[in-house]
Amino acid sequence: VPVATWVLVGFGVLVYAVGLILVSSHNLRVPHRALAADWDYAYGFHGPEDTPDGTTFRWTRRDAVAVFPAEHRWLKLMVWITHPDAAERPVDVNVWGDGELLLQTAQRDAERLTRYIRVSPRRRQVMVQTRVSRTWQPEHFGLDDSRELGLAVHWSWVDQPPVGVAAMALTCARRPRCSPGG
């Protein structure tokens, strides 16, 4: 068999492997498939809890993703941290909606950060992803809780954002079915 044939076969295998890696790291990931198939999915979240003021939220680990039904046109997304040492060691917080960066900041306190996101009426599901630079464990600070805590996340559906509050839109520009880009 000529060397040129083996070079072509090797090149074909390389192109296939690179393509498979690229597709697998994006569109074939479980949350992306859940979004395309219109089924709920969550990873990296602890169970729901309530704040003293009655706001229901869920703690994340370092990375978390949730796919859930788009119930209305406006999504209210609120996040915060409670790391005891955040003033000295800020926590990098990143939040994406359907692959679009919604929030990127270094948090030094427990201030609640709120975003209002307009969701296309074509959407049946929405994906929210979060990542923090580090987590903390309450038990290391004398509390009876061994969980790894990253970001507190609350989402709810509203008719519209409050007057004068800036809003964002999930444009779905990268994919024909509005699936997230990455």
Side-chain angles (χ1 to χ4, degrees):
V1 177
V3 173
T5 302
W6 286 114
V7 169
L8 282 173
V9 168
F11 181 73
V13 168
L14 179 65
V15 168
Y16 175 80
V18 169
L20 182 62
I21 289 168
L22 288 174
V23 170
S24 296
S25 65
H26 295 288
N27 294 341
L28 290 181
R29 287 183 51 227
V30 174
H32 296 262
R33 293 191 328 242
L35 192 63
D38 293 328
W39 42 271
D40 297 353
Y41 174 79
Y43 168 81
F45 281 95
H46 295 288
E49 298 180 42
D50 290 328
T51 64
D53 69 4
T55 302
T56 300
F57 73 98
R58 294 177 72 178
W59 282 111
T60 71
R61 294 183 190 111
R62 184 177 298 247
D63 294 293
V65 60
V67 178
F68 51 92
E71 297 175 9
H72 294 291
R73 187 166 180 182
W74 289 97
L75 176 66
K76 176 184 178 183
L77 184 64
M78 188 172 18
V79 299
W80 64 95
I81 61 163
T82 60
H83 294 58
D85 59 348
E88 298 83 34
R89 295 180 52 217
V91 178
D92 294 330
V93 174
N94 294 283
V95 180
W96 296 266
D98 289 351
E100 296 181 38
L101 187 62
L102 303 174
L103 174 66
Q104 184 174 35
T105 188
Q107 278 301 103
R108 294 181 174 274
D109 57 32
E111 176 188 1
R112 293 182 184 187
L113 304 173
T114 304
R115 296 292 184 268
Y116 289 89
I117 301 116
R118 184 171 50 86
V119 178
S120 167
R122 298 183 326 216
R123 297 307 313 253
R124 292 188 303 249
Q125 297 284 105
V126 173
M127 179 168 51
V128 172
Q129 293 175 274
T130 68
R131 177 173 296 139
V132 292
S133 57
R134 62 190 181 87
T135 60
W136 72 286
Q137 288 181 287
E139 71 181 356
H140 294 162
F141 293 85
L143 302 171
D144 187 27
D145 187 347
S146 63
R147 295 177 299 169
E148 173 188 351
L149 304 180
L151 190 62
V153 180
H154 161 82
W155 65 77
S156 59
W157 295 97
V158 296
D159 292 329
Q160 61 186 21
V163 175
V165 172
M168 309 172 85
L170 296 180
T171 62
C172 305
R174 286 184 253 169
R175 300 278 194 281
R177 279 191 52 122
C178 294
S179 62

PDB file of all heavy atoms in Angstrom, residues 148-163:
ATOM      1  N   GLU A 148     -20.146  21.689  49.783  1.00  0.00           N
ATOM      2  CA  GLU A 148     -19.284  22.599  49.044  1.00  0.00           C
ATOM      3  C   GLU A 148     -20.204  23.676  48.465  1.00  0.00           C
ATOM      4  O   GLU A 148     -21.063  23.374  47.637  1.00  0.00           O
ATOM      5  CB  GLU A 148     -18.580  21.823  47.929  1.00  0.00           C
ATOM      6  CG  GLU A 148     -17.790  22.657  46.982  1.00  0.00           C
ATOM      7  CD  GLU A 148     -17.269  21.856  45.795  1.00  0.00           C
ATOM      8  OE1 GLU A 148     -17.377  20.626  45.793  1.00  0.00           O
ATOM      9  OE2 GLU A 148     -16.786  22.500  44.862  1.00  0.00           O
ATOM     10  N   LEU A 149     -20.054  24.930  48.904  1.00  0.00           N
ATOM     11  CA  LEU A 149     -20.943  26.006  48.476  1.00  0.00           C
ATOM     12  C   LEU A 149     -20.212  26.994  47.572  1.00  0.00           C
ATOM     13  O   LEU A 149     -19.129  27.472  47.909  1.00  0.00           O
ATOM     14  CB  LEU A 149     -21.519  26.750  49.688  1.00  0.00           C
ATOM     15  CG  LEU A 149     -22.262  25.901  50.709  1.00  0.00           C
ATOM     16  CD1 LEU A 149     -22.766  26.766  51.853  1.00  0.00           C
ATOM     17  CD2 LEU A 149     -23.396  25.128  50.067  1.00  0.00           C
ATOM     18  N   GLY A 150     -20.825  27.272  46.450  1.00  0.00           N
ATOM     19  CA  GLY A 150     -20.252  28.238  45.517  1.00  0.00           C
ATOM     20  C   GLY A 150     -21.105  29.480  45.426  1.00  0.00           C
ATOM     21  O   GLY A 150     -20.865  30.493  46.070  1.00  0.00           O
ATOM     22  N   LEU A 151     -22.165  29.390  44.651  1.00  0.00           N
ATOM     23  CA  LEU A 151     -23.017  30.533  44.342  1.00  0.00           C
ATOM     24  C   LEU A 151     -24.446  30.212  44.747  1.00  0.00           C
ATOM     25  O   LEU A 151     -24.929  29.105  44.515  1.00  0.00           O
ATOM     26  CB  LEU A 151     -22.950  30.772  42.826  1.00  0.00           C
ATOM     27  CG  LEU A 151     -23.543  32.027  42.240  1.00  0.00           C
ATOM     28  CD1 LEU A 151     -22.841  33.269  42.771  1.00  0.00           C
ATOM     29  CD2 LEU A 151     -23.429  31.990  40.719  1.00  0.00           C
ATOM     30  N   ALA A 152     -25.119  31.168  45.360  1.00  0.00           N
ATOM     31  CA  ALA A 152     -26.549  31.034  45.618  1.00  0.00           C
ATOM     32  C   ALA A 152     -27.264  31.561  44.375  1.00  0.00           C
ATOM     33  O   ALA A 152     -26.949  32.647  43.890  1.00  0.00           O
ATOM     34  CB  ALA A 152     -26.948  31.836  46.854  1.00  0.00           C
ATOM     35  N   VAL A 153     -28.216  30.786  43.850  1.00  0.00           N
ATOM     36  CA  VAL A 153     -28.910  31.148  42.615  1.00  0.00           C
ATOM     37  C   VAL A 153     -30.419  31.085  42.826  1.00  0.00           C
ATOM     38  O   VAL A 153     -30.937  30.091  43.344  1.00  0.00           O
ATOM     39  CB  VAL A 153     -28.525  30.196  41.458  1.00  0.00           C
ATOM     40  CG1 VAL A 153     -29.249  30.570  40.177  1.00  0.00           C
ATOM     41  CG2 VAL A 153     -27.023  30.173  41.242  1.00  0.00           C
ATOM     42  N   HIS A 154     -31.085  32.146  42.423  1.00  0.00           N
ATOM     43  CA  HIS A 154     -32.552  32.201  42.440  1.00  0.00           C
ATOM     44  C   HIS A 154     -32.994  32.600  41.044  1.00  0.00           C
ATOM     45  O   HIS A 154     -32.447  33.527  40.453  1.00  0.00           O
ATOM     46  CB  HIS A 154     -33.034  33.250  43.452  1.00  0.00           C
ATOM     47  CG  HIS A 154     -34.448  33.684  43.226  1.00  0.00           C
ATOM     48  ND1 HIS A 154     -35.523  32.954  43.680  1.00  0.00           N
ATOM     49  CD2 HIS A 154     -34.955  34.745  42.558  1.00  0.00           C
ATOM     50  CE1 HIS A 154     -36.647  33.575  43.306  1.00  0.00           C
ATOM     51  NE2 HIS A 154     -36.319  34.657  42.640  1.00  0.00           N
ATOM     52  N   TRP A 155     -33.971  31.875  40.500  1.00  0.00           N
ATOM     53  CA  TRP A 155     -34.580  32.330  39.255  1.00  0.00           C
ATOM     54  C   TRP A 155     -36.081  32.262  39.393  1.00  0.00           C
ATOM     55  O   TRP A 155     -36.631  31.413  40.087  1.00  0.00           O
ATOM     56  CB  TRP A 155     -34.083  31.567  38.033  1.00  0.00           C
ATOM     57  CG  TRP A 155     -34.409  30.106  37.967  1.00  0.00           C
ATOM     58  CD1 TRP A 155     -35.604  29.536  37.646  1.00  0.00           C
ATOM     59  CD2 TRP A 155     -33.522  29.019  38.217  1.00  0.00           C
ATOM     60  NE1 TRP A 155     -35.516  28.172  37.686  1.00  0.00           N
ATOM     61  CE2 TRP A 155     -34.251  27.831  38.030  1.00  0.00           C
ATOM     62  CE3 TRP A 155     -32.174  28.943  38.570  1.00  0.00           C
ATOM     63  CZ2 TRP A 155     -33.673  26.588  38.183  1.00  0.00           C
ATOM     64  CZ3 TRP A 155     -31.620  27.698  38.727  1.00  0.00           C
ATOM     65  CH2 TRP A 155     -32.360  26.540  38.526  1.00  0.00           C
ATOM     66  N   SER A 156     -36.733  33.197  38.743  1.00  0.00           N
ATOM     67  CA  SER A 156     -38.192  33.232  38.729  1.00  0.00           C
ATOM     68  C   SER A 156     -38.622  33.937  37.454  1.00  0.00           C
ATOM     69  O   SER A 156     -37.831  34.599  36.789  1.00  0.00           O
ATOM     70  CB  SER A 156     -38.739  33.950  39.973  1.00  0.00           C
ATOM     71  OG  SER A 156     -38.252  35.272  40.039  1.00  0.00           O
ATOM     72  N   TRP A 157     -39.873  33.773  37.127  1.00  0.00           N
ATOM     73  CA  TRP A 157     -40.424  34.375  35.907  1.00  0.00           C
ATOM     74  C   TRP A 157     -41.261  35.584  36.291  1.00  0.00           C
ATOM     75  O   TRP A 157     -42.017  35.538  37.253  1.00  0.00           O
ATOM     76  CB  TRP A 157     -41.258  33.349  35.141  1.00  0.00           C
ATOM     77  CG  TRP A 157     -40.379  32.239  34.654  1.00  0.00           C
ATOM     78  CD1 TRP A 157     -40.178  31.036  35.245  1.00  0.00           C
ATOM     79  CD2 TRP A 157     -39.536  32.270  33.511  1.00  0.00           C
ATOM     80  NE1 TRP A 157     -39.265  30.303  34.534  1.00  0.00           N
ATOM     81  CE2 TRP A 157     -38.857  31.036  33.457  1.00  0.00           C
ATOM     82  CE3 TRP A 157     -39.290  33.212  32.511  1.00  0.00           C
ATOM     83  CZ2 TRP A 157     -37.957  30.724  32.449  1.00  0.00           C
ATOM     84  CZ3 TRP A 157     -38.387  32.894  31.517  1.00  0.00           C
ATOM     85  CH2 TRP A 157     -37.728  31.664  31.486  1.00  0.00           C
ATOM     86  N   VAL A 158     -41.088  36.667  35.556  1.00  0.00           N
ATOM     87  CA  VAL A 158     -41.829  37.898  35.820  1.00  0.00           C
ATOM     88  C   VAL A 158     -42.459  38.377  34.521  1.00  0.00           C
ATOM     89  O   VAL A 158     -42.027  38.006  33.425  1.00  0.00           O
ATOM     90  CB  VAL A 158     -40.921  38.995  36.422  1.00  0.00           C
ATOM     91  CG1 VAL A 158     -40.385  38.563  37.787  1.00  0.00           C
ATOM     92  CG2 VAL A 158     -39.769  39.338  35.496  1.00  0.00           C
ATOM     93  N   ASP A 159     -43.501  39.209  34.653  1.00  0.00           N
ATOM     94  CA  ASP A 159     -44.170  39.746  33.463  1.00  0.00           C
ATOM     95  C   ASP A 159     -43.279  40.716  32.713  1.00  0.00           C
ATOM     96  O   ASP A 159     -43.304  40.769  31.484  1.00  0.00           O
ATOM     97  CB  ASP A 159     -45.484  40.416  33.841  1.00  0.00           C
ATOM     98  CG  ASP A 159     -46.518  39.413  34.343  1.00  0.00           C
ATOM     99  OD1 ASP A 159     -46.486  38.254  33.884  1.00  0.00           O
ATOM    100  OD2 ASP A 159     -47.332  39.790  35.197  1.00  0.00           O
ATOM    101  N   GLN A 160     -42.509  41.500  33.454  1.00  0.00           N
ATOM    102  CA  GLN A 160     -41.560  42.433  32.856  1.00  0.00           C
ATOM    103  C   GLN A 160     -40.632  42.931  33.950  1.00  0.00           C
ATOM    104  O   GLN A 160     -40.964  42.856  35.128  1.00  0.00           O
ATOM    105  CB  GLN A 160     -42.266  43.589  32.175  1.00  0.00           C
ATOM    106  CG  GLN A 160     -43.106  44.437  33.102  1.00  0.00           C
ATOM    107  CD  GLN A 160     -43.900  45.474  32.341  1.00  0.00           C
ATOM    108  OE1 GLN A 160     -44.132  45.345  31.149  1.00  0.00           O
ATOM    109  NE2 GLN A 160     -44.324  46.500  33.031  1.00  0.00           N
ATOM    110  N   PRO A 161     -39.465  43.476  33.559  1.00  0.00           N
ATOM    111  CA  PRO A 161     -38.565  44.003  34.591  1.00  0.00           C
ATOM    112  C   PRO A 161     -39.128  45.293  35.179  1.00  0.00           C
ATOM    113  O   PRO A 161     -39.976  45.942  34.547  1.00  0.00           O
ATOM    114  CB  PRO A 161     -37.263  44.269  33.829  1.00  0.00           C
ATOM    115  CG  PRO A 161     -37.612  44.247  32.396  1.00  0.00           C
ATOM    116  CD  PRO A 161     -38.909  43.534  32.235  1.00  0.00           C
ATOM    117  N   PRO A 162     -38.687  45.660  36.369  1.00  0.00           N
ATOM    118  CA  PRO A 162     -39.133  46.930  36.937  1.00  0.00           C
ATOM    119  C   PRO A 162     -38.767  48.100  36.027  1.00  0.00           C
ATOM    120  O   PRO A 162     -37.764  48.047  35.307  1.00  0.00           O
ATOM    121  CB  PRO A 162     -38.363  47.011  38.261  1.00  0.00           C
ATOM    122  CG  PRO A 162     -37.957  45.615  38.575  1.00  0.00           C
ATOM    123  CD  PRO A 162     -37.796  44.927  37.259  1.00  0.00           C
ATOM    124  N   VAL A 163     -39.549  49.146  36.070  1.00  0.00           N
ATOM    125  CA  VAL A 163     -39.303  50.331  35.249  1.00  0.00           C
ATOM    126  C   VAL A 163     -37.926  50.891  35.574  1.00  0.00           C
ATOM    127  O   VAL A 163     -37.542  50.998  36.738  1.00  0.00           O
ATOM    128  CB  VAL A 163     -40.397  51.398  35.505  1.00  0.00           C
ATOM    129  CG1 VAL A 163     -40.087  52.680  34.752  1.00  0.00           C
ATOM    130  CG2 VAL A 163     -41.753  50.855  35.106  1.00  0.00           C
TER     131      VAL A 163
END
